[in-house]
Amino acid sequence: MGQRKGTVEKLDLLNTLRGRRVLLTGHTGFKGGWLALWLHQLGAEVHGFALDPNTEPALFEVARVAEVLASDTRADLRDAAAIKACVARVSPELVLHLAAQPLVRESYRDPAGTWASNVQGTVHMLDALRGTACRAAVVITTDKVYANQEWDHPYRESDALGGHDPYSASKAACELVVESFRKSFFTDQGLRLASARAGNVIGGGDWAAERLVPDILKALDAGRPVPLRHPASVRPWQHVLEPLSGYLRLAAGLLEGEAGLDAAWNFGPEVADAQPVIELVRGLGAQASVQSGEHPHEAGRLELDIARARHRLGWRPRWPLNQALAATLAWHQAWRAGQDMQSFSLQQIEQYAPS
């Protein structure tokens, strides 16, 4: 029997996910590495599918994520045969699909590759699940899937999809792919499929190029100002553990048969934590300089409405922005001091969500 409507917040994540075979794509990335550690801590059997880490250093290496995996497949989602073979071998009960080309500015340099990875890669992932015994899947997109009107109010899941840059547009297209597969194949198959749209995540172990917090921390380490393109741009900042907790709660609800969860979900911060870029620089104790010249288009304001997740999943943000920044800085300082970063990361997960 499925859970009654409105009881997802009562689900015990430990009991729901313990022993489950989980296929996690993108496990070598920033969010994927944190999620692999958390899933392992919850007792899941975690199988990864991803390319090699694309930064040096990388969270995957620094936190020894490979140690918590039941299997580690290195392949490209654009290779349909590779993902199909992985699904057949793992026979997952749950799929968490995070693998993507995640950077806006990179999407301007390589639009075709971005669309191929983000859209066709998602098609390959979902197609591989047809006819399997998989029970639930969550596809991770982004807060940038909305047709941004520069509104001063948050976007709801029912607002129009769009996207100016290739990254945003490709992720909006992923939402259409998810809806199509859900209606065309998975409803009859009994596979519960949802999508999740997170805010702008920060946290320890992110070394991605051209991303704000990594750039701030590099500037702090070097004792120089951080160059900013758009210091007044407003984003829904949140610690990486915030959306991951939403993904896990959503996945648990899908696995437990809770009605009405196979839909799109926003996981963002409280309204007060949608702040201008310059506030993150100040919050981390850095100085800033403004980059002159022409830059690719970026939205000036973006906020997420999280009422659906709050009311239906019982999910809510736990760490305000100042605490998220403090946790990020503490992780970075621990890494600089040579501490055991797998242990430190697991400690931060425990601090965020005590067992």
Side-chain angles (χ1 to χ4, degrees), residues 28-29 63 127 172 217 228 230 234-235:
T28 59
D127 191 51
L217 294 175
L228 300 179
H230 304 287
V234 173
R235 294 289 184 272

Side-chain angles (χ1 to χ4, degrees), residues 14 56 60 84 176 192 271 283 291 310 349:
L14 184 62
E56 176 57 46
F60 184 82
K84 190 169 185 177
L176 299 178
R192 312 285 305 289
V271 172
Q291 283 184 325
R310 189 188 300 275
I349 292 171

Side-chain angles (χ1 to χ4, degrees), residues 281-302:
V281 178
R282 294 168 178 159
L284 288 169
Q287 301 295 316
S289 62
V290 179
Q291 283 184 325
S292 58
E294 294 294 322
H295 303 291
H297 172 272
E298 294 184 39
R301 187 178 191 90
L302 180 57

Side-chain angles (χ1 to χ4, degrees), residues 86-153:
C86 181
V87 167
R89 182 176 66 256
V90 172
S91 188
E93 299 169 80
L94 169 67
V95 171
L96 295 166
H97 177 48
L98 277 68
Q101 192 298 98
L103 301 174
V104 171
R105 288 171 71 86
E106 176 61 24
S107 77
Y108 281 107
R109 288 188 287 267
D110 184 14
T114 297
W115 279 84
S117 295
N118 295 356
V119 181
Q120 197 59 37
T122 301
V123 170
H124 290 161
M125 177 74 256
L126 296 180
D127 191 51
L129 296 178
R130 289 201 295 142
T132 72
C134 185
R135 295 180 55 191
V138 181
V139 174
I140 311 307
T141 59
T142 175
D143 55 358
K144 298 173 181 64
V145 298
Y146 296 105
N148 196 304
Q149 308 296 327
E150 303 290 350
W151 288 329
D152 59 0
H153 63 266

Side-chain angles (χ1 to χ4, degrees), residues 34-54:
W34 276 100
L35 188 51
L37 292 172
W38 199 345
L39 283 164
H40 176 73
Q41 191 177 69
L42 289 170
E45 179 186 308
V46 188
H47 299 263
F49 182 100
L51 297 171
D52 292 336
N54 63 356

Side-chain angles (χ1 to χ4, degrees), residues 30 33-35 37-38 41 59 63 202-206 217 238-242 244-245 284 318-319 322-335 339-355:
F30 168 52
W34 276 100
L35 188 51
L37 292 172
W38 199 345
Q41 191 177 69
L59 175 68
I202 64 175
D206 184 7
L217 294 175
Q238 58 185 160
H239 192 274
V240 63
L241 296 179
E242 299 278 22
L244 298 189
S245 71
L284 288 169
R318 298 184 182 184
W319 284 358
N322 62 342
Q323 192 170 357
L325 290 170
T328 301
L329 189 57
W331 196 101
H332 184 72
Q333 291 171 338
W335 168 68
Q339 293 192 34
D340 180 335
M341 296 315 298
Q342 183 186 97
S343 176
F344 194 91
S345 301
L346 291 171
Q347 288 172 16
Q348 284 203 331
I349 292 171
E350 178 66 22
Q351 290 164 5
Y352 177 84
S355 58

